Amino acid sequence: MCGILGLLLGNTKSAAAPELLEAGILLQHRGQDAAGIATSDKFGRSYSHKGDGLIAEVFGTTGDKVSELKGPMGLGHLRYPTAGLRHCSEAQPFARQYPLETYLVHNGNIINTAELQNHLGANAPRVGGSDSELLLCLFIEQLKRENVVQGSPIDMHVISNALAKIYELSEGSFACAMMISGLGLLGFRDSHGIKPLVYGERQNADGSIDYMLSSESIALNKLDFKNIRDVQPGEAVIFPITAVHKPLVKRISPALSYTPDIFEYVYFARPESVMDGISVHRSRQKMGVGIAKAVKSEFGDSLDEIDVVMAVPETSNTCALAAAQYLNKTYSHGLVKNRYIFRTFITPGQSQRRTNVWRKITAVKEEFENRNVLLIDDSIVRGTTSKEIVKIARNAGAKKVFFASCSPPIRYNHIYGINLSKKENLIAFSKTTQEVCQDLGCDRLVYLPLESLIQSCLEARDTSKRVDSFEIGVFTGEYITDLKKSFTVPTVKPVNRTLKAEVLYTVTKLETELRTVVTNVDIGV
């Protein structure tokens, strides 16, 4: 799970970096490990800055780093690591300078990396272990096969062929944005549409048009982009830097299915977003009604035991409110989130996750004392967060603690973009609901049935109703892609952080040799 951005401004004198920073802040929930922005000006010169941490930490509060990134075209990335190292060398965008200076940002996970590495051989001089960088290497390799020479005119057919090589050889999920200096911006999505990618346009007073790509529509909406559309499975959208050209939509690969990752609606995405015609907010309301029905069925005549319903903030807020309304129960904000502590689910390490739960969640004792409490969360993954929250509720004086999950039991690896390296780490793996309940230390546990989850998302579709199924492998163990292609579970290797940001500042001119200056700049604690 990462956040990706691409921006092409119609006014060539404008700078893309400030708006990429703003959009990155809006997508910060999709990754807090590293951030980066790369830009290109009308002369083909490129500029890049990336490093560990939140995007505001990487680029500073004064805006100095952003002002150094010139040009009307750029990419942005928020990294949540699923493979490779936890180090700024893995921060995106990734770049290759020959035969065309090309930058890439990627959301998703490639599952046949060993096969791709063997295919590329010496042609894949990767900095670390990132699967994302392999996609860029495949693209560059095909450009070389097409005898592309720097500075020569580029036929869009050549670009399509290079993209086709990615689709032909890669297995897994990918939603990508790519910037080719002097040529333009492009976005493309895997043949199953597993990871989201949207784009829109914005009319300027001078008649020029800006175009933007984003993982979620929230970034486009807040920056006043209109006509928002989803990149379709197997499709690429090309935005030429020449202002007179409109976006080119090209079918690169047949759409093998249209199956978005259902976890986007359960947990990942912001509630304001609409992806693949499905409102995240509406889908979570439907999940709340679904879990309420499951609770009613589980409790039967003892439903009166529940005194109050509470959300485990913040993703489940919508679900819990809808459930309380359906059950005709009091809804209370009994758990308060420290908004300066980020998502514990994507924090590396069990002990760190446990510590962060206590920092992140505080109980309002008056809401718990001598009451039977129904806590509703979006999901239960490793169980670390849920166990600690049950303890917090009991320590606040709750008589009984009931727990409900707005997703089914997660028993299998998420191979398309979440760092779940071993299914044995999942609390529901090979366990019954009662056994999980005992592990969590709660009095009762209720899961949303899978069919109810799917129906909740389908009922939140717009009138186009393009999507009729989802990627649900974490619940069933059956995945939408072919796992025969050298599949290995991705791992993330921790390294000691130096609290430094890597600044890769590249200045190029078309038809000249490239000149690269690499510096390290302290960003402080």
Side-chain angles (χ1 to χ4, degrees):
M1 181 186 77
C2 295
I4 68 170
L5 295 159
L7 179 62
L8 176 60
L9 301 178
N11 185 342
T12 58
K13 295 181 181 179
S14 300
E19 289 196 287
L20 286 170
L21 175 60
E22 290 295 327
I25 292 171
L26 292 167
L27 296 186
Q28 187 71 83
H29 61 287
R30 298 191 68 87
Q32 292 118 45
D33 192 68
I37 294 175
T39 61
S40 178
D41 65 21
K42 62 181 178 180
F43 303 108
R45 294 183 296 237
S46 61
Y47 313 79
S48 177
H49 180 82
K50 56 185 179 178
D52 290 342
L54 305 180
I55 194 166
E57 294 173 338
V58 174
F59 288 91
T61 56
T62 62
D64 293 344
K65 300 297 186 296
V66 173
S67 64
E68 295 172 0
L69 305 177
K70 305 183 186 303
M73 179 171 65
L75 300 178
H77 190 264
L78 294 308
R79 183 175 189 246
Y80 162 67
T82 56
L85 303 170
R86 294 188 185 276
H87 189 263
C88 61
S89 65
E90 295 290 321
Q92 298 183 37
F94 287 120
R96 288 293 183 270
Q97 281 77 39
Y98 181 82
L100 296 176
E101 186 169 16
T102 306
Y103 289 82
L104 176 135
V105 290
H106 166 225
N107 173 33
N109 196 54
I110 304 303
I111 62 176
N112 64 325
T113 53
E115 183 181 273
L116 295 183
Q117 189 71 59
N118 291 335
H119 168 82
L120 289 163
N123 293 322
R126 296 161 67 197
V127 174
S130 171
D131 57 324
S132 306
E133 201 168 7
L134 284 172
L135 299 179
L136 180 57
C137 290
L138 289 174
F139 182 83
I140 293 298
E141 179 197 45
Q142 186 60 30
L143 291 183
K144 292 176 181 177
R145 290 178 183 272
E146 298 274 351
N147 297 315
V148 172
V149 178
Q150 192 174 27
S152 63
I154 304 298
D155 190 322
M156 285 300 175
H157 184 67
V158 172
I159 300 299
S160 297
N161 288 344
L163 289 175
K165 185 59 65 174
I166 292 176
Y167 284 86
E168 177 188 343
L169 297 178
S170 302
E171 200 69 46
S173 64
F174 54 88
C176 300
M178 189 179 287
M179 178 178 73
I180 303 176
S181 295
L183 183 65
L185 189 72
L186 54 140
F188 57 97
R189 193 177 181 194
D190 68 70
S191 299
H192 297 280
I194 298 171
K195 289 300 174 185
L197 187 60
V198 297
Y199 66 101
E201 60 187 53
R202 181 178 62 190
Q203 184 92 32
N204 298 313
D206 62 1
S208 62
I209 300 178
D210 305 328
Y211 296 100
M212 190 173 199
L213 289 155
S214 175
S215 295
E216 294 186 32
S217 63
I218 176 64
L220 301 178
N221 290 330
K222 290 290 283 185
L223 295 174
D224 204 29
F225 281 79
K226 310 295 183 184
N227 299 325
I228 298 173
R229 288 154 283 182
D230 298 282
V231 178
Q232 298 298 293
E235 184 178 84
V237 183
I238 303 170
F239 306 89
I241 199 169
T242 308
V244 296
H245 289 118
K246 291 188 176 181
L248 306 173
V249 179
K250 296 185 71 69
R251 169 65 55 191
I252 305 298
S253 173
L256 301 180
S257 67
Y258 201 160
T259 48
D261 182 356
I262 204 166
F263 229 65
E264 288 283 348
Y265 305 98
V266 172
Y267 175 77
F268 291 161
R270 284 181 56 150
E272 310 97 311
S273 291
V274 176
M275 299 178 300
D276 295 307
I278 299 173
S279 163
V280 177
H281 174 70
R282 291 288 182 226
S283 69
R284 289 177 184 167
Q285 286 182 320
K286 301 291 185 181
M287 291 175 209
V289 172
I291 194 62
K293 291 178 179 179
V295 166
K296 197 170 183 179
S297 175
E298 166 68 22
F299 277 71
D301 294 337
S302 60
L303 189 63
D304 288 342
E305 275 194 82
I306 301 173
D307 296 319
V308 62
V309 176
M310 298 183 190
V312 177
E314 288 179 341
T315 310
S316 60
N317 289 357
T318 305
C319 302
L321 177 58
Q325 291 172 338
Y326 184 89
L327 294 171
N328 196 26
K329 296 290 183 180
T330 301
Y331 178 71
S332 171
H333 293 285
L335 294 173
V336 180
K337 178 184 176 182
N338 181 342
R339 63 188 63 197
Y340 301 104
I341 302 293
F342 285 92
R343 293 177 134 176
T344 52
F345 172 70
I346 61 176
T347 302
Q350 285 288 82
S351 60
Q352 188 176 343
R353 276 189 287 270
R354 189 177 297 112
T355 300
N356 281 354
V357 173
W358 282 91
R359 291 174 179 165
K360 185 179 78 169
I361 301 293
T362 305
V364 180
K365 286 191 175 183
E366 293 84 351
E367 296 297 323
F368 285 88
E369 288 178 336
N370 298 315
R371 301 175 92 181
N372 296 331
V373 179
L374 172 63
L375 300 177
I376 298 182
D377 206 350
D378 50 78
S379 58
I380 305 170
V381 184
R382 302 172 187 88
T384 310
T385 300
S386 303
K387 287 179 185 178
E388 297 304 314
I389 287 173
V390 170
K391 290 179 184 177
I392 290 171
R394 292 202 186 280
N395 290 340
K399 289 194 298 183
K400 290 184 178 181
V401 180
F402 311 124
F403 210 98
S405 167
C406 287
S407 73
I410 298 171
R411 294 193 169 101
Y412 302 93
N413 300 323
H414 191 296
I415 66 173
Y416 299 120
I418 310 178
N419 179 24
L420 299 180
S421 57
K422 295 181 180 179
K423 59 181 180 287
E424 289 79 9
N425 291 338
L426 306 173
I427 193 170
F429 175 69
S430 73
K431 292 179 182 176
T432 65
T433 298
Q434 184 57 38
E435 289 170 334
V436 176
C437 181
Q438 291 173 355
D439 284 354
L440 295 181
C442 55
D443 295 286
R444 284 196 185 186
L445 172 63
V446 181
Y447 283 106
L448 180 67
L450 179 57
E451 58 273 17
S452 295
L453 174 59
I454 293 171
Q455 191 60 33
S456 296
C457 294
L458 293 178
E459 290 177 0
R461 293 177 297 180
D462 62 18
T463 55
S464 66
K465 296 185 178 180
R466 298 186 301 271
V467 173
D468 57 16
S469 59
F470 299 90
E471 162 47 42
I472 54 173
V474 288
F475 307 121
T476 65
E478 298 177 0
Y479 303 96
I480 201 67
T481 59
D482 183 7
L483 298 189
K484 297 177 182 178
K485 291 190 175 182
S486 307
F487 170 64
T488 55
V489 175
T491 59
V492 180
K493 301 176 182 178
V495 299
N496 293 327
R497 296 178 181 268
T498 60
L499 291 179
K500 288 189 174 183
E502 178 191 75
V503 182
L504 177 60
Y505 178 75
T506 308
V507 182
T508 66
K509 289 183 179 180
L510 294 176
E511 303 179 0
T512 65
E513 288 192 354
L514 301 170
R515 180 163 53 88
T516 303
V517 179
V518 179
T519 60
N520 281 332
V521 178
D522 267 317
I523 62 172
V525 178

